[in-house]
Amino acid sequence: MIFERDGLLLRRREPSSPLTLGDIDEDFVEMLRQLRDLNLCFGFISDQRGMDAGSHGRSDFAALTSVLDQLLTVHGAIPDFWMAWGSPTRAGTVIPHRDDQILQPEVGMILRAIKWYDVDNEKAVFVGNSPTGMQAAKQAKITGIQYSGGQNHRVTEVQRLGHTIEEIVRLDRRRTA
């Protein structure tokens, strides 16, 4: 399972302002704990935003990741990995793919996570809310789940997302049994 951090675990706010503990979606964290109880491997890909509005870069990303790691550890939902989409993308930046296709850096990060955990593409799932993330999942040829995390019915949406993931996992386990 690969999740986009921003907009899922951390709510996006407009106008952009420093992050607080209230920006962490507790219902989403509970779903992560349930995935951990199922022994599913999961992690997050995100931009390199730090805790302060507009802060970007490796040190800001590392500081926020450390805080999130501690918080998720307490809740029994520690992720297996954290990855950044990379530096702010530069025009023309591409990553070669095994089929010699030209792919964007986002696709490369998804493929790297799959390779690190030696997961077949058909067993990998990407959950995101950005058009860029969903397009990257499509290019990586993995299952993509669009998740809006809307404010009105967030608990219901998180529960629906958790059930969808469990169904995909059950179906996959039946195929390999």
Side-chain angles (χ1 to χ4, degrees), residues 103 107 110 126 132-144:
L103 300 174
V107 180
I110 290 173
F126 177 84
T132 302
M134 296 310 295
Q135 182 62 31
K138 183 177 179 180
Q139 283 187 306
K141 298 180 179 147
I142 66 170
T143 300

Side-chain angles (χ1 to χ4, degrees), residues 49-71:
R49 181 177 178 208
M51 290 177 270
D52 296 326
S55 66
H56 288 271
R58 291 180 187 193
S59 62
D60 296 322
F61 176 79
L64 177 57
T65 299
S66 176
V67 169
L68 291 173
D69 251 351
Q70 291 171 20
L71 177 74

Side-chain angles (χ1 to χ4, degrees), residues 25 41 55 102 104 107 109 113 129 134 141 157 159 167:
D25 188 329
C41 176
S55 66
I102 302 301
Q104 298 300 320
V107 180
M109 296 306 292
N129 65 351
M134 296 310 295
K141 298 180 179 147
E157 285 192 50
Q159 289 172 343
E167 286 176 21

Side-chain angles (χ1 to χ4, degrees), residues 4 14 22 24 30 34 39 43 61 63 75 91 99 110-111 113 115 122 138 140 152-153 173 175:
E4 278 188 293
E14 298 296 329
I24 297 169
E30 175 57 24
Q34 292 170 3
N39 293 318
F61 176 79
H75 291 297
D99 296 331
I110 290 173
L111 293 172
K115 184 177 178 180
E122 58 260 351
K138 183 177 179 180
N152 296 338
H153 303 286
R173 287 183 179 165
R175 276 192 230 145

